[in-house]
Amino acid sequence: MTDAATVFALLKEYTDTEDIAAGEILPLCQRALDFVVSRLKETADRESPLVGETAAAVARYLVFKKQSGVGQRFHKYKIGDISTERNAEKELAVETQLYHEALANAAGILRDGGFYFSAE
């Protein structure tokens, strides 16, 4: 069965988390796994790799949201004539899109969450 350590290992494969202590990430991995498991269809295979992959994507989103509150994460940097700036809104939009794509990819194993309507 997928556990928080498995989710943590999957998360480390595709996100930059070297600066974050494992003790901070593991509870988020457990929360993400609990989120996915609580939404599994009764007929879903709990041993499916998709459970861990989806939980890792949810954990990535949770880690991002937690880190976005840290003051040093989003800043302007200038070195000589070169400057760079991180845009928090754009990064949040990308992370949110990845989160929603992961949930959409897991639609076969997750229960339908209900009706959603959006007007833009």
Side-chain angles (χ1 to χ4, degrees):
M1 174 128 191
T2 304
D3 60 1
T6 305
V7 174
F8 178 73
L10 290 167
L11 179 64
K12 294 289 257 182
E13 284 182 17
Y14 70 90
T15 191
D16 179 23
T17 55
E18 285 87 32
D19 297 340
I20 309 168
E24 291 181 50
I25 297 176
L26 277 169
L28 298 175
C29 291
Q30 184 62 54
R31 186 180 334 158
L33 181 59
D34 292 343
F35 173 83
V36 172
V37 169
S38 71
R39 285 159 178 77
L40 285 176
K41 292 179 179 178
E42 290 180 18
T43 58
D45 178 12
R46 294 182 187 271
E47 302 298 322
S48 170
L50 191 53
V51 172
E53 292 168 11
T54 305
V58 172
R60 174 186 169 128
Y61 183 72
L62 294 175
V63 167
F64 175 83
K65 298 257 316 198
K66 181 176 180 168
Q67 288 302 107
S68 66
V70 177
Q72 297 294 328
R73 179 164 172 139
F74 298 101
H75 257 269
K76 286 184 179 181
Y77 299 98
K78 185 169 184 172
I79 303 169
D81 293 337
I82 300 171
S83 65
T84 182
E85 182 176 352
R86 295 184 74 176
N87 186 320
E89 289 180 20
K90 285 184 182 177
E91 289 193 31
L92 177 60
V94 169
E95 292 296 330
T96 301
Q97 181 180 357
L98 291 172
Y99 170 79
H100 288 296
E101 285 177 6
L103 293 178
N105 289 340
I109 63 169
L110 298 178
R111 283 183 277 127
D112 185 7
F115 181 77
Y116 174 76
F117 177 79
S118 175
E120 294 182 26

